[in-house]
Amino acid sequence: MPSRAVTLDNLSLSLDTLKEILDQMQPDVHLETSLKSVLQVLSHNLGYVRNFLAIYDSETRSLKLSLTHGPQKPSQVSYGEGQGVTGQVLAKGEAIIVPVIGEHPDFLNWAFGRGKEEMDALAFICVPVVQEGGENKEREILGVLSVDLPTAPLQVLQTHCRFLEVVARIIAHRVARLQEDMARQQHFLEQGLAIYDPGFSPKNIVHASKSMRLVLQQISQVAPSRATVLLRGESGTGKELLAEAIHTASPRAGQPLIRLNCAALPAELVESELFGHEKGAFTGAVQSKKGRFELAHQGTLFLDEIGELSLDAQAKVLRAIQEKEIQRLGSEQTIIVDTRLVCATNRPLEDLIAAGQFREDLFYRINVFPIYVQPLRERREDILPMAEHFLSAYAKEYGKEIKRISTPALDLLTQYHWPGNARELRNCLERAVLLCTEEVIRTYHLPPTLQTAESSATDMDLSFGEAVAKFEQEIIVDALKKARGNMLQAARELRISYRIVNYKIKKYGIDPKKFATKVAGK
């Protein structure tokens, strides 16, 4: 075992390890994958023999061994409060160091089956994973993080213990989410439902918010069935992408996914599109045509804006759902169809029912499994990862070397109310990429609807000098952010002297320390 891994006295190694752990905490990294990667990083960088993360289950008031990394595959065990060293850490909320595992009377060896020789050669450190509460600052113990490592002097083990406490603080938020997932899976088991896949992450659906995680969990639950799904939410929230995700995760994935926007066609043509027609059925029907229900046979039919259907079309859709058969316009022949239906609407169907504009019996047929998608303004955590996703896609499409979005531009994106939701955000980034002639998207590349006179430095009351000062502040903040608060590095990035950067920072009241805190994971 390398000595630097045991003593942890190599500052560069410690910082590199923290950086790798922080990289795994990014929103686009899958929850369980990120935590497993943390355990792997600890073993690889610091020489830990095995690590495990146990999550607290409030129902059973015990710790469940959840994630591990080591030479042997552990058995499924749980620890009660005060049971063994691990249970004592849970009960007291304080770290425990065992200098030699084989000499500790309370050490339990259920999970890993360590041999006597190994237990005499290994130390054990266990730290609580704690999340601070709200206004009362109550500490909530989410679980414990523990490691086996070669025996070493107590002072060295104490250094490792402090390091692991920092790691536990960094991963606490992710552990809280994993705790929620475990509780939800247990609830599904008790209800006799299938277990959802917490790693379910469909292509092109970028998210970081809790509400979108819930949507994806619901999709993973309903996709394997043939149940009708009703996607509800404002226009532009990505309902069509979710319908595609349902189809892709279903047993019908190898069959066609057929789409129809019910609001995009005149009422007299919608029935022909849905059910098809025979030659001569109406003026202009010069040949027979299959409808969308036929084309989606053994596949999935996505009806967007179903609230726009006429009452006659609604009656025929209801019959197709109930009887699994249709008739083409101008034909008396019945055609059997096996089609899974996914519907979407941005209208309040209950109000349409009350107004006599939507059939109540059809509503109950399509509302078997409703999924509500929140507007973007109510899940602001998704704005930045989505913006970066669109930036990357359009920069590649238009052949531009745009690497990032400036901090002031990010502020505008997060402050805007996005009435057009994800669709508007996508269009906004496409426009910005087209306008941008440098490596950074700045505030003046964004549409006027997002900008204020102050943010874009275009207020008519501003003098030329004031407008230049606004621009200076923006590029200095960008440089500091890139340099993580290092003023000397920021000066090199801007190709000016340190003295000038220092002067400008004091002039504009910029605090470089707030950019440096990210390094320590604070």
Side-chain angles (χ1 to χ4, degrees), residues 42-53:
L42 291 174
S43 284
H44 181 267
N45 288 15
L46 304 179
Y48 296 152
V49 177
R50 58 173 66 84
N51 326 307
F52 77 79
L53 180 65

Side-chain angles (χ1 to χ4, degrees), residues 226 319-326 335-338:
R226 60 165 293 122
R319 181 173 182 270
I321 297 173
Q322 289 183 154
E323 307 299 332
K324 296 182 176 56
E325 60 183 32
I326 61 167
I335 301 173
I336 303 298
V337 290
D338 174 19

Side-chain angles (χ1 to χ4, degrees), residues 86-104:
T86 303
Q88 290 173 24
V89 173
L90 170 65
K92 298 178 180 178
E94 298 175 356
I96 291 180
I97 298 173
V98 179
V100 180
I101 292 177
E103 296 177 0
H104 198 286

